[in-house]
Amino acid sequence: MAFFALTITGVAVADSGIASGWRENTRWAVDLSTRFSRDLRQNHQSSQQVVGFDLHKVFTGEQGDFATLVFQPYWVRLHDVKNPGFYFDGGDDAELTWRIANINYTGLSHGSFNLRVGHFEVPFGLEQNIDTNGTLRQYSFRDRGIKADWGVSVNGVLSEFDYEIALTRGSGNNISERDDPYVFAGRLGTPSTGNMIVGFSWFDGKVLAANGAVERQRLAIDMAYYYRQWETLLEVSAGNNAGANRSNVLAELSWRNPMETFHSYSQFRYVREEGNNHWLDKSSVTLGLEWKVNRFVDVSTQWFKELDVLQEQKTASIVAVQLRVRI
């Protein structure tokens, strides 16, 4: 955090032409949510409550915008959650988490070559362009064992493509040197404003988990296609976990009404992993609904069903409901 604060101060001091105060070009909100999940097969119920602060600030000087700050600390309380993040002390714990907390310096070349420092989503696949933070709808970050991390990146938007290349600590929510984790990842894709978007990603690192750092490598291709209110998404990746080969497919079809207050989606996931002298297959489907009641309130529900699993255990059938209020 000290390094992050010094970075912000340094950027502000370096540009003596700041023309506006903190309140200009600044948006903030208090983000509250409560989520309940029930595994219908194993008769298990869990919940979590979240209180967060969301700040977005664009710094402007005489030559225009030169930096963007996003600062999102979130307090999370878990109740009987199975397999929580390793930075929690079990499934009945409360911790301060960092959703996004970084500054992106854009004053070098008007957005074509930027420098980001802090806590941000590791650039990879569909999640590079789609914000799933705080929602039931998620993509493939669990396959890599990490979603957001502390580090630095270079990024930019050009006429022909968007890109981000990052080097991060590999420890996720907290900065830790245990087992010397790291992540080197990036994504290169066609402009995110198009109706058809195609991207190529890579991921190489040692990702910290409860039992130590795990080596993970991935290469991926992602695609998004938009037609009227319809959205079609596809992500295909291949690589290995600690030397064991693994491939992953995620496909989604979704629809929004013209006012974008109602969103329905369906997902299919398939994982193929190398076991002891044989291959293991796992697949699942997800059906979700999201209703934006008004500009402050959002209600969503999701049903997740495992069709088969990698090892001998019960398949899950989980229903989740979330109420979110942004003030």
Side-chain angles (χ1 to χ4, degrees):
M1 284 303 298
F3 177 69
F4 180 57
L6 287 172
T7 302
I8 297 173
T9 303
V11 170
V13 171
D15 196 302
S16 58
I18 297 177
S20 59
W22 265 89
R23 288 185 295 180
E24 296 186 31
N25 297 322
T26 300
R27 304 194 309 269
W28 65 272
V30 176
D31 193 347
L32 313 172
S33 68
T34 183
R35 179 183 301 182
F36 296 91
S37 300
R38 185 172 185 83
D39 190 327
L40 304 178
R41 289 288 182 86
Q42 301 185 29
N43 195 29
H44 175 264
Q45 183 168 304
S46 62
S47 65
Q48 71 175 39
Q49 286 73 45
V50 177
V51 179
F53 179 71
D54 186 349
L55 173 69
H56 183 278
K57 165 69 178 176
V58 177
F59 293 91
T60 301
E62 293 180 351
Q63 304 300 319
D65 299 342
F66 67 90
T68 300
L69 168 68
V70 180
F71 185 68
Q72 298 175 331
Y74 277 68
W75 179 85
V76 180
R77 179 73 171 96
L78 305 180
H79 299 273
D80 203 18
V81 172
K82 290 185 177 181
N83 303 316
F86 71 93
Y87 47 88
F88 288 98
D89 295 328
D92 290 282
D93 187 29
E95 293 287 346
L96 177 66
T97 65
W98 297 100
R99 188 163 289 178
I100 302 295
N102 70 77
I103 189 163
N104 196 29
Y105 185 72
T106 59
L108 297 172
S109 57
H110 303 289
S112 62
F113 183 82
N114 312 317
L115 178 64
R116 191 190 311 275
V117 180
H119 193 258
F120 52 89
E121 288 192 5
V122 176
F124 191 93
L126 294 171
E127 291 179 284
Q128 178 71 2
N129 292 328
I130 301 174
D131 183 9
T132 60
N133 282 310
T135 68
L136 297 177
R137 181 193 187 202
Q138 297 294 320
Y139 292 113
S140 64
F141 78 91
R142 294 187 184 278
D143 179 62
R144 299 179 298 282
I146 194 167
K147 182 169 185 174
D149 201 12
W150 295 95
V152 298
S153 85
V154 291
N155 61 89
V157 177
L158 303 175
S159 59
E160 299 297 327
F161 62 89
D162 302 344
Y163 71 93
E164 183 158 16
I165 302 171
L167 180 62
T168 65
R169 177 69 273 185
S171 55
N173 187 67
N174 303 319
I175 300 176
S176 174
E177 297 182 357
R178 179 166 62 94
D179 293 338
D180 195 25
Y182 74 93
V183 169
F184 175 59
R187 181 183 179 276
L188 172 68
T190 58
S192 60
T193 55
N195 288 331
M196 168 72 86
I197 305 168
V198 179
F200 168 76
S201 304
W202 72 87
F203 182 99
D204 178 73
K206 291 174 60 180
V207 179
L208 192 61
N211 298 323
V214 179
E215 292 187 0
R216 298 174 187 260
Q217 287 82 37
R218 296 287 190 279
L219 293 175
I221 295 175
D222 64 85
M223 184 202 75
Y225 177 68
Y226 299 90
Y227 177 73
R228 295 183 178 177
Q229 281 77 54
W230 293 93
E231 178 183 42
T232 304
L233 305 175
L234 177 67
E235 181 180 304
V236 180
S237 65
N240 67 83
N241 290 353
N245 292 325
R246 184 180 176 98
S247 59
N248 183 79
V249 177
L250 186 152
E252 179 183 287
L253 178 66
S254 71
W255 176 87
R256 291 177 173 85
N257 67 343
M259 298 298 294
E260 296 193 355
T261 57
F262 182 81
H263 179 207
S264 63
Y265 58 90
S266 59
Q267 294 179 348
F268 173 78
R269 301 169 189 260
Y270 172 77
V271 176
R272 184 173 173 83
E273 184 176 70
E274 186 179 20
N276 295 324
N277 301 318
H278 64 284
W279 286 91
L280 303 169
D281 298 288
K282 176 180 180 179
S283 60
S284 65
V285 293
T286 302
L287 302 177
L289 298 172
E290 181 182 9
W291 176 35
K292 295 184 181 299
V293 181
N294 52 45
R295 55 182 292 200
F296 304 107
V297 180
D298 180 292
V299 179
S300 56
T301 184
Q302 179 176 277
W303 176 57
F304 168 79
K305 165 68 174 173
E306 287 182 326
L307 303 178
D308 51 85
V309 295
L310 289 173
Q311 299 173 356
E312 294 298 328
Q313 59 186 16
K314 291 182 178 180
T315 59
S317 178
I318 300 173
V319 175
V321 179
Q322 177 174 282
L323 171 65
R324 188 178 186 185
V325 179
R326 288 177 60 85
I327 305 172

